[in-house]
Amino acid sequence: MVRILSIILTVILSCYIAFSYVLFHKERNEHLCQGIEIIVRDSLDKHFVNESDLISLLKRDGLSPLKKKLSAINTDSIEKHLIKNEMISEAEVYKTPSGKIKLEVTQKMPILRVMSANDAYYVDNKGTTMPISQRYVAHVPIATGYMEKEFAENELYEFALFLQDNEFWNNQIEQICVFPNKEVELIPRVGRFRIVLGSLDDFEEKLNKLRLFYDQAIPKVGWDKYSVIDLKYKNQIVCTKK
């Protein structure tokens, strides 16, 4: 008898908890949104978007959750809309227990600035492009000259990704000059000379060869002896004296 009573009480308690949960969420969803909380990741390092930008974006496109019932707010739609912004890499939108809508946004990470004859933009660490910001300039290598966006998003992207991951060359290379035949010259931060890389084929092997030259020859002759260091030729470096 005691066991049966215990089972009945357990069932009643479970039903009550389930009913209370449903009722609570139903009432909660009928409440109006109490506000927006926004987190912009890496905001101390990059300033491509801020809170006011995101609020203005949602208002402009009719997606602001303010003064709307929580049940009527589609967080998935807001996420998808934010991702369409060319400055945003990732977005997560959800409802908080306090009745607010929280936005967590990750900005794109540029690794190359392109200043071509026809256009200007960044290439990010995922190989997509993003516009130049009027608010913030990223300190990344600059590619100038003649290049199609397809070349920037592929060959140049791979090269810029290598530079980002290599501390030595990331500190050394300041500018990438691209010619109509897709051959490349590099302008270093140290030394008054041009580095002729040629095509971007086997660029890592070419830079390894240059690093060896830096270590063995430059200490003997100095940084100002040559005007051009040519790496185009297999297994050799051709230098032009000033």
Side-chain angles (χ1 to χ4, degrees):
M1 185 67 179
V2 174
R3 184 178 179 185
I4 295 173
L5 184 61
S6 176
I7 293 173
I8 293 172
L9 288 174
T10 301
V11 171
I12 292 173
L13 181 60
S14 298
C15 292
Y16 173 77
I17 292 173
F19 175 77
S20 299
Y21 178 84
V22 172
L23 183 63
F24 169 78
H25 278 269
K26 183 178 180 181
E27 290 179 351
R28 176 174 170 267
N29 283 329
E30 291 304 312
H31 291 163
L32 297 181
C33 173
Q34 299 300 306
I36 305 175
E37 294 181 6
I38 298 175
I39 296 176
V40 180
R41 302 195 186 283
D42 303 321
S43 59
L44 294 178
D45 300 322
K46 302 189 290 290
H47 310 282
F48 294 115
V49 293
N50 57 31
E51 286 190 27
S52 60
D53 293 332
L54 298 174
I55 290 173
S56 297
L57 175 66
L58 296 180
K59 284 182 178 179
R60 184 194 69 195
D61 298 327
L63 289 171
S64 175
L66 293 175
K67 298 182 180 179
K68 291 183 180 179
K69 290 182 179 180
L70 290 172
S71 59
I73 298 171
N74 189 326
T75 54
D76 288 340
S77 295
I78 297 175
E79 277 186 14
K80 291 175 182 177
H81 195 74
L82 290 174
I83 289 295
K84 291 179 182 178
N85 187 291
E86 293 182 293
M87 297 295 193
I88 295 174
S89 172
E90 299 174 5
E92 185 178 0
V93 181
Y94 54 92
K95 301 171 185 177
T96 70
S98 60
K100 295 182 179 181
I101 298 298
K102 190 162 187 177
L103 280 60
E104 296 189 17
V105 169
T106 301
Q107 302 175 82
K108 285 188 175 182
M109 180 184 292
I111 59 172
L112 179 70
R113 183 175 182 178
V114 175
M115 306 290 289
S116 73
N118 302 317
D119 207 354
Y121 51 88
Y122 288 111
V123 176
D124 74 358
N125 62 338
K126 295 182 179 178
T128 63
T129 60
M130 54 188 292
I132 298 296
S133 171
Q134 299 299 319
R135 179 188 299 146
Y136 172 68
V137 176
H139 298 290
V140 294
I142 299 175
T144 59
Y146 302 87
M147 71 205 84
E148 299 294 332
K149 189 167 285 190
E150 182 181 359
F151 181 72
E153 292 176 333
N154 290 279
E155 287 93 333
L156 276 180
Y157 161 69
E158 294 292 339
F159 184 63
L161 203 60
F162 167 80
L163 294 181
Q164 185 197 41
D165 292 338
N166 188 295
E167 184 178 1
F168 177 82
W169 289 116
N170 193 44
N171 291 328
Q172 283 289 320
I173 304 304
E174 182 175 37
Q175 184 176 343
I176 305 164
C177 304
V178 181
F179 295 91
N181 61 359
K182 296 184 179 180
E183 291 202 344
V184 168
E185 288 186 2
L186 306 177
I187 307 298
R189 298 182 192 277
V190 179
R192 297 180 180 179
F193 51 83
R194 294 179 292 115
I195 301 168
V196 178
L197 200 62
S199 74
L200 285 173
D201 295 337
D202 304 318
F203 65 78
E204 192 168 351
E205 179 183 333
K206 294 173 183 177
L207 290 180
N208 286 339
K209 184 168 56 177
L210 180 60
R211 179 65 185 272
L212 189 64
F213 179 80
Y214 277 3
D215 292 341
Q216 296 182 356
I218 291 297
K220 298 176 182 177
V221 301
W223 290 99
D224 295 323
K225 186 173 182 64
Y226 303 112
S227 60
V228 178
I229 298 177
D230 195 333
L231 306 174
K232 287 195 301 184
Y233 305 100
K234 192 74 173 177
N235 298 324
Q236 63 176 315
I237 295 177
V238 178
C239 298
T240 303
K241 293 183 179 179
K242 290 183 177 178

